[in-house]
Amino acid sequence: MEHEESLRHPASISAPSRRDALLRQLREVAGGPLGRHAAPGLIRPAVFTIERVLILLTTAAALLAFLVKVPCREEGWVRPAQFYRTCYSDWTEAFQFQGLGSGLLPFAEGSTFDGPLLTGVVAGLVSLLVPASSDGIVRTETVVQFFDLHAVLIAAAWIGVVLGTARLASRRPWDAAIVATAPILILTATSGWALLSVGLSVASVLAFARHRYVMAGVLLGFGAGFSIHVVLVLAAMALLAARTGRWRAVLLAGGSMGAIWFLMVLPFGPGQALALPWQYDPARLNISSSLWAGYDLLAERLGVPALASETATLLAVGAFSVLGGLIVLLVLKAPRRPRLPQVVFLLMGALVLVLPNYRPELTLWLLPFLALSYVDWRIFVVWQLVEVLHWWAFWMYVAREASSGAVENNIDSPYFVAAVFARLLVTGYLMYCVAHHILEPKYDPVRRLQIDDPAGGPFNTAPDRTGPLR
């Protein structure tokens, strides 16, 4: 209740141009430094409030994301051009080749759609708004309509993620600009349905922060229908409950999440409810940019045995178990209870590092929780440069492997492997930075503002049950 009361009264907010070294250098472009007598947050602007500015930024970024796909909208989503133009989208592949364009709803008899449950529900509902082919030939104009409708849906979800992040950030709402303007999000937002699960994970944390625990669980349940990785949000809540002894909120959230999951399983069966988003590949590319795929490419060059798919899966499970165990120890033994977004980021980061079926758009899982955990615009820019490089290398490699593209347009596998390992290193470094802030709370930008865990709900200002475990 203390946190809720604080939201009803004006409070000063952190001005990034005053605190961030990179933004201090760039602020002249935006009109110079903020005046020393300005009190952002204490005086409400007439028109350009923070949330309205964030909406404008997100809208502009969504338009750029739409423009990325313009070459395919004009020339069609055909091989190998869609790979070289980096405008591939799961939406159009599913519409053209998995029955949606012919009027077949996902999971109906004759449909070949094999994605996660709620992904199929959304795709099916959108397909009802597009004229179906009566002769089995999917026409270009209907593919474009299907894509455009999804682009509008994703733009709305993007705005929701940004606003949710801003409201969870308490006195640092400008940190949500990371989510609004991230280059990798501009490049991958319209590549698939990943942003829908991201939106539900952020919405669930926002509901939890506002002490609406059942609603948080319901949102997590729906999020799991898109991507099972959102269960890590509940795992983070459970770790903090173990630290504080406040289990009631987690049990309510977990119970309602389980109820929603059960209701989804009843009509569709566990096969669809347990579908994994990172295994959904409507174009049948069968290409990953994971640690294990990078090893296989190196092994091929060096003439050593590659990993069997079962071995890669076992190694991934083992690696995630080890990283998860280290995160558990960090949460339980840290001198001060970590903040909820920090724990969520570490768990999701561990999954992103070891996932066998990784694709560039899955990094979107991390963005809002990074914005709530660790903000240094210089490091953020480096991370985004590496992610953009990895995104480009991935699609150039796909163009080489999955189509008969011209040799002079392709990249060799060592460059792709270098991009893969660069992404892994930068993601690992971000996890290290967050872990360092957990071990040294005085460096945490949120706690430097004399607040505890604005996204933590019942954990905000909660004392440890017995102090840090030794």
Side-chain angles (χ1 to χ4, degrees), residues 169-248:
S170 184
R171 291 168 59 190
R172 295 181 58 93
W174 285 114
D175 290 347
I178 281 180
V179 186
T181 61
I184 192 61
L185 185 45
I186 292 171
L187 295 172
T188 62
T190 53
S191 295
W193 291 272
L195 204 53
L196 297 179
S197 64
V198 174
L200 286 166
S201 64
V202 172
S204 68
V205 174
L206 182 60
F208 191 81
R210 295 181 173 181
H211 305 279
R212 298 172 183 172
Y213 310 128
V214 173
M215 178 57 70
V218 169
L219 292 168
L220 282 177
F222 284 122
F226 288 103
S227 175
I228 196 66
H229 86 279
V230 302
V231 175
L232 295 176
V233 175
L234 186 66
M237 295 173 181
L239 285 175
L240 293 179
R243 179 81 189 238
T244 62
R246 299 192 174 186
W247 283 99
R248 176 179 172 275

Side-chain angles (χ1 to χ4, degrees), residues 9-13 39-45 50:
H9 301 286
S12 62
I13 63 172
L42 297 177
I43 300 175
R44 182 179 177 87
I50 294 175

Side-chain angles (χ1 to χ4, degrees), residues 103-113 268:
L104 283 175
L105 294 176
F107 318 127
E109 185 177 356
S111 171
T112 57
F113 187 93
F268 292 98

Side-chain angles (χ1 to χ4, degrees), residues 58-73:
T58 309
T59 303
L63 288 173
L64 289 175
F66 181 81
L67 292 175
V68 169
K69 308 297 185 183
V70 163
C72 284
R73 289 185 77 258

Side-chain angles (χ1 to χ4, degrees), residues 14-67:
S14 175
S17 61
R18 287 174 173 171
R19 295 181 178 272
D20 188 88
L22 177 63
L23 296 183
R24 278 201 305 268
Q25 297 173 16
L26 299 177
R27 61 191 178 184
E28 292 297 336
V29 179
L34 194 67
R36 69 176 62 183
H37 298 295
L42 297 177
I43 300 175
R44 182 179 177 87
V47 176
F48 290 106
T49 63
I50 294 175
E51 289 194 350
R52 289 172 185 169
V53 172
L54 289 172
I55 290 173
L56 290 174
L57 288 173
T58 309
T59 303
L63 288 173
L64 289 175
F66 181 81
L67 292 175

Side-chain angles (χ1 to χ4, degrees), residues 118-418:
L118 290 189
T119 297
V121 171
V122 169
L125 291 175
V126 173
S127 71
L128 294 176
L129 304 176
V130 180
S133 169
S134 58
D135 55 7
I137 300 175
V138 180
R139 289 165 176 77
T140 302
E141 57 269 22
T142 59
V143 178
V144 171
Q145 291 175 31
F146 187 76
F147 174 86
D148 290 350
L149 288 170
H150 268 96
V152 173
L153 175 64
I154 287 298
W158 193 345
I159 291 173
V161 172
V162 171
L163 292 180
T165 304
R167 292 174 184 181
L168 284 167
S170 184
R171 291 168 59 190
R172 295 181 58 93
W174 285 114
D175 290 347
I178 281 180
V179 186
T181 61
I184 192 61
L185 185 45
I186 292 171
L187 295 172
T188 62
T190 53
S191 295
W193 291 272
L195 204 53
L196 297 179
S197 64
V198 174
L200 286 166
S201 64
V202 172
S204 68
V205 174
L206 182 60
F208 191 81
R210 295 181 173 181
H211 305 279
R212 298 172 183 172
Y213 310 128
V214 173
M215 178 57 70
V218 169
L219 292 168
L220 282 177
F222 284 122
F226 288 103
S227 175
I228 196 66
H229 86 279
V230 302
V231 175
L232 295 176
V233 175
L234 186 66
M237 295 173 181
L239 285 175
L240 293 179
R243 179 81 189 238
T244 62
R246 299 192 174 186
W247 283 99
R248 176 179 172 275
V250 178
L251 293 176
L252 286 173
S256 55
M257 177 182 173
I260 292 297
W261 188 265
F262 179 73
L263 291 175
M264 288 192 296
V265 168
L266 281 180
F268 292 98
Q272 296 302 334
L274 294 175
L276 304 177
W278 51 84
Q279 293 178 331
Y280 178 51
D281 186 8
R284 303 294 186 262
L285 300 174
N286 297 318
I287 294 175
S288 167
S289 61
S290 67
L291 169 65
W292 322 109
Y295 169 82
D296 282 346
L297 289 174
L298 284 177
E300 181 182 349
R301 284 278 175 151
L302 298 174
V304 299
L307 297 173
S309 59
E310 297 81 5
T311 304
T313 300
L314 289 174
L315 287 173
V317 172
F320 182 74
S321 299
V322 171
L323 290 173
L326 293 174
I327 293 168
V328 170
L329 289 175
L330 175 66
V331 172
L332 297 182
K333 291 183 173 292
R336 182 175 178 181
R337 169 184 39 79
R339 294 186 291 111
L340 178 59
Q342 293 174 318
V343 184
V344 174
F345 176 80
L346 289 177
L347 290 173
M348 290 189 179
L351 181 61
V352 163
L353 284 179
V354 303
L355 199 63
N357 303 96
Y358 184 82
R359 281 172 48 172
E361 62 266 25
L362 300 187
T363 197
L364 304 188
W365 297 348
L366 303 180
L367 268 171
F369 298 105
L370 175 69
L372 295 168
S373 301
Y374 179 83
V375 177
D376 183 316
W377 279 85
R378 290 175 299 183
I379 294 176
F380 171 72
V381 168
V382 173
W383 178 48
Q384 289 300 289
L385 287 173
V386 172
E387 288 287 354
V388 170
L389 173 64
H390 168 255
W391 167 84
W392 175 82
F394 176 81
W395 287 113
M396 291 302 99
Y397 186 74
V398 168
R400 166 187 156 172
E401 295 295 308
S403 66
S404 55
V407 174
E408 60 269 19
N409 295 333
N410 295 331
I411 64 169
D412 204 359
S413 57
Y415 299 103
F416 173 57
V417 172

